[in-house]
Amino acid sequence: MDITSFDDLLQVARAQSEPQRLLFVFAGVELPEDATPQQRQRFEQGGGGALVPLMTVDKLPAELPDFPALAQEAAAFGPQWQIVFAAAMSGRGGAQPGSAQADAALQRMVQAIRQGLHDAFIPFDRQGHPVVFG
């Protein structure tokens, strides 16, 4: 199934034969200090910039009814984010992935996003719509 919305992500995660844990990295967009004048102009017009991970969270699919619930929880923690990257971890033998596994996976996600390697994740905007980079 193609994931074309946040609801699709939740539906797919809930339908898996093994329990899932959803991983989220919330990121902002900043202008690098060494940006060119053209990059600065583009950034001021709402384009370009560098993705900067701000915060992470993991959730069981049952803990998350919909995107507004995730966005509301994120807003309570402060930093203004522009995009959230999602991934899923699968359990084994009917057991949920543990918190330590989720923490390690989230740190790998943060590192990948910092390096611009985010193709393995599903990005969503602040309204819960999938984002296509290009």
Side-chain angles (χ1 to χ4, degrees), residues 18-134:
E18 291 289 349
Q20 302 290 299
R21 185 174 292 270
L22 298 174
L23 309 173
F24 300 101
V25 176
F26 294 83
V29 180
E30 293 180 356
L31 186 64
E33 290 183 21
D34 61 348
T36 66
Q38 294 85 4
Q39 289 170 326
R40 290 181 187 283
Q41 182 180 11
R42 184 169 176 230
F43 186 77
E44 289 169 5
Q45 294 172 346
L51 292 168
V52 179
L54 301 171
M55 60 185 165
T56 64
V57 69
D58 64 283
K59 294 281 186 185
L60 300 176
E63 296 175 318
L64 195 56
D66 53 24
F67 187 81
L70 179 67
Q72 182 177 5
E73 184 175 331
F77 286 96
Q80 184 71 283
W81 57 276
Q82 266 62 45
I83 193 165
V84 58
F85 291 92
M89 289 182 69
S90 184
R92 293 187 186 176
Q96 291 284 348
S99 293
Q101 291 172 299
D103 289 343
L106 284 165
Q107 290 310 308
R108 288 190 300 274
M109 284 179 70
V110 165
Q111 290 302 326
I113 292 165
R114 285 186 177 143
Q115 296 171 0
L117 305 172
H118 45 73
D119 291 345
F121 315 126
I122 304 170
F124 294 96
D125 66 16
R126 293 184 60 82
Q127 288 73 44
H129 302 118
V131 173
V132 177
F133 292 101

